[in-house]
Amino acid sequence: MNRTITTLLLAIMLSPLSAWADGEHAHGPYAGFEAREIKNLSQDDLDELRGGGGWGLALPAELSGRPGPAHLLELRDELGLSDAQVASITTIRDAMRADAIAAGERFIAAEAALSAAFADPDLAADGLRELVDAAAAARADLRFVHLSRHLSTPELLTADQIERYAVLRGYADDPCAEVPDGHDATLWRRHNGCD
């Protein structure tokens, strides 16, 4: 009995040590972030921003039936875009990308300044406020670049293309995927433009 109790106590006492040794407790949600030059931005974030990518900033437009120019061009064949549509959308996309790269660099610089400021032991609240406001303004400018271009695309598309875009992007169900019970399959497919 004593041997069993001793073994049990030893196992209990050593288990936290082994958990620490295995690194179980060494990982928090931000482990590794301390090595980043810009604490708030990952390398993937930086790559997307420097490439003029959307970074998810235009979701309110994208998910409300105002397609993004880059995704429209990716889906040009599936959407049946005409040459004129492709040319107009390419112009919008190229201008957006150029503006987004410039705005992204300003945002990155503002976030870099904010990260660097915390190395200064004399950082005061008023200086911090200026840095936070500058980063917020740079992010707002970047977001405007992306959102504003979504305002230009619907007028270039047909209603069917916008609906098809939503299906292709996974925002809407494809009425052609399944004929509901009780409907004539031929009529359903014809009515929904499936064939």
Side-chain angles (χ1 to χ4, degrees):
M1 183 74 106
N2 284 343
R3 186 173 200 179
T4 305
I5 292 173
T6 302
T7 303
L8 182 60
L9 287 174
L10 187 58
I12 291 170
M13 289 186 329
L14 292 179
S15 66
L17 294 177
S18 66
W20 284 101
D22 290 342
E24 250 179 65
H25 298 285
H27 302 303
Y30 306 121
F33 287 21
E34 71 281 356
R36 293 177 177 178
E37 184 177 335
I38 303 172
K39 307 305 183 204
N40 206 37
L41 300 173
S42 70
Q43 188 58 52
D44 288 343
D45 294 333
L46 293 169
D47 292 344
E48 177 134 0
L49 291 165
R50 287 187 171 127
W55 207 45
L57 294 172
L59 285 176
E62 176 75 12
L63 299 175
S64 298
R66 294 177 185 232
H71 296 306
L72 283 169
L73 293 173
E74 291 166 3
L75 298 170
R76 74 181 84 193
D77 294 334
E78 293 92 332
L79 295 170
L81 297 180
S82 69
D83 291 343
Q85 287 175 310
V86 169
S88 295
I89 294 167
T90 298
T91 299
I92 294 168
R93 191 260 337 257
D94 291 350
M96 177 187 71
R97 182 166 286 149
D99 291 347
I101 289 170
E105 288 297 338
R106 288 190 300 274
F107 176 64
I108 290 168
E111 285 291 332
L114 183 58
S115 285
F118 278 91
D120 180 357
D122 296 324
L123 177 63
D126 57 341
L128 176 60
R129 169 52 66 191
E130 288 177 21
L131 292 166
V132 168
D133 288 348
R139 187 178 192 279
D141 290 345
L142 175 62
R143 193 168 195 202
F144 179 79
V145 166
H146 287 287
L147 283 167
S148 65
R149 294 329 194 273
H150 284 249
L151 295 175
S152 305
T153 59
E155 65 193 34
L156 301 173
L157 305 167
T158 67
D160 288 341
Q161 287 172 323
I162 292 172
E163 282 180 36
R164 181 75 181 134
Y165 177 87
V167 169
L168 291 170
R169 295 282 293 156
Y171 312 142
D173 293 330
D174 183 356
C176 300
E178 267 184 51
V179 176
D181 290 338
H183 291 272
D184 178 270
T186 303
L187 292 175
W188 175 266
R189 295 186 69 73
R190 186 180 317 136
H191 174 74
N192 287 288
C194 300
D195 296 322

